[in-house]
Amino acid sequence: MIIIAGEKMRTRYWRVNPFHPEKNKIIEAASFIRGGKTVAFPTETVYGLGADAFNPEAVQKIFIAKGRPADNPLIVHVAHLSQLKKLVQEIPPEAALLIRQFWPGPLTLVLPKSREVPYGVTAGLDTVAVRMPRHKVALELIRWAGCPIAAPSANVSGKPSPTSAKHVLKDMYGAIGGILDGGSTSVGIESTVLDFSSDVPTILRPGGVTKEQLEKLLKKVRLSPERENMNGNEFIPRSPGMKYRHYSPRGELYIIRGSIKKAVGKIRELVLNWQKEGKKVAVLCSRETHQYYQRNNFKADLLIILGSREDPKTVARKLYDALHWCDDKDMDIILVEEFPFEGIGYAVMNRIKKASGDRIIEL
Ligand code: AMP
Ligand code: MG
């Protein structure tokens, strides 16, 4: 089979009830998966772009639609534990404990892969990343397809992840077989990726399940070197995806690090300076600070309140939509306040930091 990159196809669209998905629509979407096509679908984290995990040609279509580097492996989504057993060689007791506690949910486990998993899914690695999503549409799709579904986020590689069908269609219309539109996703950032292939379970990517939650059940958990050092020394990535630019809007994104008062002052000054140069400047701020950006004739070109500094879950849910807005409104510069690292806030700041390409202004 020859697939030509960039070749347009008709993308089928199904609007589904996220809590009680209509069976006929799920069955049709599942027949696309079984037929080797790609289908985007909602999970509780972000929208995924799925294909039959046991069909290497179908999986290849995901890489083409996303422009994803071939050495960046995919997460395989399951709806039953029996599917997990077919994908991995064994399930260590600690992994079983986490599965009981957090599945279905935003926790991905990296385990030694079985022979059946094609190397196209794992990008040549002998491990496979697996999770069970906590979303009715995703689970029903996997059940009716009758196979595990390999699915990375349904965005063009390097761009902000999609948390609504509108975001997916912007990047993927004409490049994928179909999309199930189940509204906005509830967690809003990707799953935690936990590697069980080394002696101590290691968080390769922070996400919806926090290190504190994992520590309650595991003897020991490590953050991969990049995570321990948020300033990022040179290191060999354990997770291939970690070396790529991620989540980036078109505009240059800067994190402003410092006390709230200093950060607000600096952001106001930077907005004015850049506006003088004719740039369009967005500010992503908190509920506690937004009023300071609306005073004394001062006006950012786009002001988005991500949520309260004390409510990281809301900030996580709104982050990618905010980055998509910045692109839609053609922002040249995006200034983001640093948010507290508590709970899911750690994963939120990890994504913002990646989106910034390490542009951090320390005060
Ligand atoms: P995405 O689904 O696009 O959010 O990306 C999945 C993430 O999981 C990427 O950072 C991958 O590099 C990582 N990943 C997937 N499979 C593996 C694996 N076998 N070992 C390590 N990391 C993995
Ligand atoms: Mg992704």
Side-chain angles (χ1 to χ4, degrees):
M1 184 186 58
I2 300 168
I3 307 165
I4 302 164
E7 196 180 27
K8 283 273 175 194
M9 61 176 94
R10 268 186 62 198
T11 296
R12 186 92 165 78
Y13 173 87
W14 304 274
R15 186 188 293 275
V16 274
N17 182 317
F19 307 108
H20 304 285
E22 296 81 354
K23 202 165 143 188
N24 59 325
K25 297 177 184 174
I26 296 289
I27 288 177
E28 197 182 349
S31 76
F32 273 45
I33 296 282
R34 271 202 310 277
K37 294 182 184 166
T38 52
V39 174
F41 59 95
T43 76
E44 79 281 30
T45 59
V46 302
Y47 271 71
L49 178 60
D52 177 352
F54 290 133
N55 178 344
E57 285 182 358
V59 166
Q60 180 64 14
K61 291 179 187 170
I62 295 176
F63 283 87
I64 290 170
K66 278 180 65 75
R68 185 171 175 105
D71 65 350
N72 193 2
L74 310 179
I75 294 172
V76 180
H77 294 69
V78 298
H80 305 276
L81 289 183
S82 58
Q83 289 179 320
L84 170 69
K85 287 177 190 150
K86 280 197 200 134
L87 295 166
V88 302
Q89 283 174 27
E90 55 162 1
I91 304 167
E94 285 203 309
L97 206 64
L98 295 180
I99 287 169
R100 274 200 293 280
Q101 179 75 18
F102 295 111
W103 280 16
L107 177 67
T108 296
L109 303 177
V110 174
L111 295 163
K113 82 172 195 71
S114 69
R115 295 228 321 258
E116 284 83 82
V117 181
Y119 276 112
V121 169
T122 68
L125 297 176
D126 287 321
T127 54
V128 61
V130 191
R131 87 174 187 104
M132 189 186 287
R134 192 175 62 223
H135 196 294
K136 249 327 216 335
V137 174
L139 291 170
E140 289 296 301
L141 180 68
I142 300 165
R143 279 193 197 116
W144 281 98
C147 57
I149 295 184
S153 49
N155 53 296
V156 165
S157 232
K159 303 298 289 174
S161 301
T163 53
S164 72
K166 190 181 99 188
H167 300 158
V168 177
L169 290 171
K170 200 167 69 176
D171 273 14
M172 292 292 168
Y173 187 78
I176 61 177
I179 174 166
L180 284 160
D181 178 353
S184 294
T185 61
S186 57
V187 175
I189 58 169
E190 296 83 350
S191 60
T192 303
V193 178
L194 185 66
D195 184 7
F196 267 97
S197 68
S198 50
D199 352 332
V200 180
T202 304
I203 296 172
L204 301 181
R205 175 177 75 183
V209 172
T210 64
K211 183 165 184 260
E212 295 74 34
Q213 285 176 292
L214 296 172
E215 274 166 345
K216 285 194 184 134
L217 291 177
L218 301 179
K219 283 194 253 28
K220 221 172 158 194
V221 194
R222 240 193 355 227
L223 285 167
S224 68
E226 187 198 40
R227 310 295 165 231
E228 276 158 14
N229 179 2
M230 288 290 267
N231 294 324
N233 282 337
E234 277 281 316
F235 78 111
I236 299 166
R238 289 265 295 281
S239 182
M242 281 154 55
K243 65 176 185 265
Y244 293 108
R245 196 174 154 81
H246 267 318
Y247 322 117
S248 304
R250 195 189 52 77
E252 278 178 18
L253 188 149
Y254 293 82
I255 299 172
I256 317 301
R257 174 177 287 167
S259 69
I260 293 194
K261 208 170 150 209
K262 277 190 180 165
V264 167
K266 186 70 184 176
I267 289 174
R268 286 174 59 107
E269 177 195 322
L270 290 171
V271 170
L272 291 175
N273 288 348
W274 263 307
Q275 284 179 333
K276 270 188 211 139
E277 288 178 24
K279 307 257 193 215
K280 288 170 87 173
V281 191
V283 174
L284 272 49
C285 67
S286 59
R287 210 176 65 202
E288 289 81 358
T289 53
H290 75 99
Q291 73 266 29
Y292 302 116
Y293 302 110
Q294 291 166 314
R295 282 186 184 165
N296 308 335
N297 293 331
F298 172 87
K299 200 166 182 298
D301 297 284
L302 182 64
L303 180 65
I304 299 180
I305 304 165
L306 291 177
S308 165
R309 298 178 64 79
E310 285 166 15
D311 179 14
K313 284 189 176 166
T314 300
V315 178
R317 193 160 49 237
K318 289 176 80 173
L319 174 66
Y320 287 130
D321 192 48
L323 297 182
H324 280 281
W325 267 109
C326 291
D327 272 357
D328 294 348
K329 300 283 172 197
D330 275 331
M331 292 296 123
D332 302 302
I333 305 286
I334 302 155
L335 303 175
V336 190
E337 291 176 3
E338 187 168 65
F339 278 76
F341 283 55
E342 263 103 77
I344 200 171
Y346 187 83
V348 168
M349 282 316 301
N350 164 268
R351 304 304 191 274
I352 297 177
K353 185 171 172 283
K354 288 230 164 196
S356 79
D358 288 328
R359 292 188 202 93
I360 301 175
I361 297 175
E362 305 249 9
L363 303 174

